[in-house]
């Protein structure tokens, strides 16, 4: 079974541009979550999608948005990039919407490293 | 509100020694707790999670953690460290019960000395 894939793996953009990152979950998984990891702020939850609906969102400005398609693939978009958006963006998928089940496991992709110049 | 404190940003142990990574949480409701591991230049991997029920949780790679409500702690342990355990470990808490809106700790880098 293929794991979570993220494209592209590396990206360089300049301030003011916008960027779209893609995440393909494990086959059959309907929940996709996105996280940002920076040296200064650490790991932070961005948002979570389940069956094409955004269920939860972290404390990020409206420049950060996302969507999920009917095949569960998800994209996140960052508009008007700022230097502080440079980060590793991680995507994760799970079969259930919540982690309450002791048997459900969340799987992460390798991440997309975004550099904003 | 929820938060996690990981004591010690760097921990060094000898190969074969006990691994103990400390995590204390704060949550206004019964928490769901997670431990993740991140190897260099890789994504996260879920090691284990506490949902409800048994307070001693066993995870992958020989790790386990015990939920202690009275101490608001969820420390990660492994009886015998391997060189392959060298990585960064993150404790996380979720009040909602899910992977959503999870709050991460600042991480602990584990060094294993041969």
């Amino acid at each position: 079974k293929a794991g979570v894939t993220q494209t592209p793996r590396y990206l360089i953009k300049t301030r003011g541009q916008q960027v779209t990152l893609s995440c393909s979950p494990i086959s059959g998984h309907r929940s996709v979550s996105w996280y940002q990891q920076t040296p200064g702020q650490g790991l932070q939850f961005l948002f979570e999608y389940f069956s094409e609906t955004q269920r939860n969102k972290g404390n990020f400005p409206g420049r950060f948005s996302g969507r999920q398609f009917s095949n569960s693939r998800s994209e996140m978009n960052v508009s008007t990039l700022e230097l502080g958006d440079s980060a590793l963006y991680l995507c994760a998928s799970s079969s259930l919407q919540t982690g309450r089940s002791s048997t459900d496991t969340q799987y992460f992709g390798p991440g997309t490293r975004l550099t904003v110049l | 509100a929820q938060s996690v404190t990981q004591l010690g940003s760097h921990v060094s142990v000898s190969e074969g020694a006990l691994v103990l990574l400390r995590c204390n949480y704060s949550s206004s409701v019964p928490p769901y707790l997670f431990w993740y591991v991140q190897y260099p230049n890789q994504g996260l991997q879920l090691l284990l999670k506490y949902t409800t029920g048994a307070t001693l949780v066993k995870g992958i790679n020989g790790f386990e953690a015990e939920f202690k409500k009275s101490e608001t702690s969820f420390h990660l342990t492994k009886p015998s460290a391997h060189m392959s355990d060298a990585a960064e470990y993150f404790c996380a808490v979720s009040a909602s019960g899910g992977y959503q809106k999870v709050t991460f700790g600042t991480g602990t880098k584990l060094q294993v000395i041969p």
Side-chain angles (χ1 to χ4, degrees), chain A residues 92-110:
Chain A
S93 75
S94 61
S95 58
L96 302 177
Q97 183 185 0
T98 78
R100 294 193 188 104
S101 166
S102 60
T103 57
D104 181 62
T105 300
Q106 188 185 36
Y107 297 89
F108 283 78

